[in-house]
Amino acid sequence: MIAYLDSSALVKRYVGEPGSREAAGLIEQAALAGTAVMTLVEVAALFWSEMLGEPVALATWDRQLWKAARESGLETIPRKQP
């Protein structure tokens, strides 16, 4: 099986919270585990924001990445879609 990990599953792999055991089991059973670039951005922004105590904005001129960032609740630069 190939396991696709969204943001919540990826966090559960590294943070002990409800569902972490199931996420670890899924990853162990999978022949391959992967995620999307946007998932990595979301998780990194969450950790940076919590560590720094400041909101994190994603600066990108890639339309798809910009749109995905907005849909996930991240602030984007530029403010209007490129």
Side-chain angles (χ1 to χ4, degrees):
M1 146 186 68
I2 297 173
Y4 169 78
L5 308 176
D6 71 356
S7 299
S8 63
L10 187 59
V11 169
K12 285 177 184 355
R13 170 66 179 90
Y14 298 100
V15 177
E17 61 182 27
S20 292
R21 185 173 292 170
E22 291 86 347
L26 172 70
I27 294 166
E28 284 181 29
Q29 293 174 19
L32 180 66
T35 192
V37 171
M38 190 59 216
T39 300
L40 300 175
V41 171
E42 290 172 346
V43 172
L46 171 68
F47 285 122
W48 289 342
S49 181
E50 289 196 15
M51 287 174 46
L52 300 172
E54 295 287 333
V56 174
L58 174 66
T60 182
W61 280 259
D62 179 275
R63 288 177 181 230
Q64 289 180 323
L65 190 53
W66 187 94
K67 185 177 178 184
R70 280 297 184 125
E71 289 173 357
S72 70
L74 291 174
E75 184 177 338
T76 56
I77 299 169
R79 305 273 185 237
K80 293 186 178 184
Q81 185 173 7

